[in-house]
């Protein structure tokens, strides 16, 4: 096994999924779908039998659940949040829950504020998720983990720690990263 399938057929066909032993960074602007992409990676990896550690440092648990259920059912997330649901929508929720049963125990979501050290310690503590060995670590997103005054140093420490652990333990890591237009412009100028 060299890759963890993503659940995105085009990516899996072209690249085999996410490569084990390295860190992959997903960069996008606010609202471009990083969190939705990472949620899909969690499901795709778990469906393929991988244990998935998903660190969702940006969004709270209820918002993440509403977005996941909205994607799985086609029901608007605001309706889900208000529990403003008709009988047919309740049946779609029940169906989505049933279809998640075979893989959901392979995803360990961690919600809430984290710092770099706590993320690395958490990764060190997890060998298995449910019945599956840890094969995929997802972090959404790098910049919210910075607790010090030097965000660049925190992100560098995170990257170094993730690379070491991914190589040594043979799991794939995907980190979402927030990009601002000014940062892109600076990069183009350099």
């Amino acid at each position: 096994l060299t890759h963890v399938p993503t659940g995105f057929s085009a990516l899996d066909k072209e690249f085999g999924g996410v490569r084990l032993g390295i860190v992959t960074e997903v960069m996008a602007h606010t609202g471009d779908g990083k969190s939705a992409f990472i949620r899909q990676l969690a499901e795709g990896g778990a469906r393929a039998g991988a244990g998935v550690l998903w660190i969702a440092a940006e969004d709270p648990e209820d918002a993440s659940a509403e977005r996941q259920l909205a994607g799985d059912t086609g029901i608007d997330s605001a309706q889900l949040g208000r529990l403003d649901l008709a009988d047919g929508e309740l049946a779609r929720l029940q169906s989505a829950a049933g279809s998640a049963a075979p893989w959901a125990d392979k995803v360990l979501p961690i919600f809430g504020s984290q710092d770099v050290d706590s993320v690395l310690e958490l990764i060190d503590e997890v060998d298995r998720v449910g019945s599956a060995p840890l094969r995929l670590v997802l972090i959404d997103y790098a910049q919210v983990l910075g607790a010090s005054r030097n965000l660049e140093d925190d992100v560098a420490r995170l990257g170094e720690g993730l690379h070491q652990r991914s190589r040594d333990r043979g799991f794939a890591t995907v980190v979402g990263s927030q990009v601002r237009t000014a940062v892109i412009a600076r990069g183009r100028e350099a």
Side-chain angles (χ1 to χ4, degrees):
L1 183 66
T2 60
H3 291 73
V4 174
T6 65
F8 290 102
S9 59
L11 283 176
D12 293 340
K13 183 179 177 184
E14 181 73 21
F15 302 107
V18 182
R19 181 171 276 290
L20 296 169
I22 67 167
V23 176
T24 302
E25 185 174 17
V26 175
M27 299 173 67
H29 292 93
T30 299
D32 280 350
K34 288 181 306 302
S35 296
F37 182 75
I38 286 174
R39 278 193 309 277
Q40 177 59 43
L41 291 180
E43 180 177 336
R47 282 183 182 275
V52 179
L53 175 61
W54 170 29
I55 299 168
E58 179 185 25
D59 291 330
E61 186 173 358
D62 57 347
S64 294
E66 288 165 8
R67 289 179 183 165
Q68 182 74 37
L69 288 171
D72 289 350
T73 62
I75 301 170
D76 181 77
S77 62
Q79 282 179 271
L80 287 166
R82 292 189 309 268
L83 296 176
D84 180 20
L85 305 170
D87 287 341
E89 292 164 330
L90 289 172
R92 289 185 357 220
L93 276 176
Q94 185 174 12
S95 174
S99 69
W103 59 266
D105 74 322
K106 294 177 185 79
V107 178
L108 175 58
I110 305 296
F111 296 97
S113 181
Q114 303 285 328
D115 62 23
V116 171
D117 294 324
S118 64
V119 165
L120 295 176
E121 288 170 11
L122 179 62
I123 292 168
D124 289 342
E125 294 170 2
V126 176
D127 289 322
R128 297 186 72 75
V129 180
S131 60
L134 180 65
R135 289 289 177 256
L136 182 59
V137 173
L138 303 170
I139 299 175
D140 185 22
Y141 64 91
Q143 286 80 2
V144 297
L145 302 178
S148 75
R149 290 184 170 204
N150 188 340
L151 179 60
E152 288 178 359
D153 179 59
D154 282 343
V155 170
R157 283 187 320 106
L158 177 67
E160 182 180 322
L162 291 174
H163 278 290
Q164 176 191 359
R165 285 160 177 81
S166 294
R167 279 191 310 267
D168 292 350
R169 294 181 48 202
F171 55 75
T173 302
V174 177
V175 179
S177 189
Q178 188 76 288
V179 179
R180 289 191 221 149
T181 305
V183 173
I184 293 172
R186 262 196 339 247
R188 289 183 180 144
E189 290 170 11

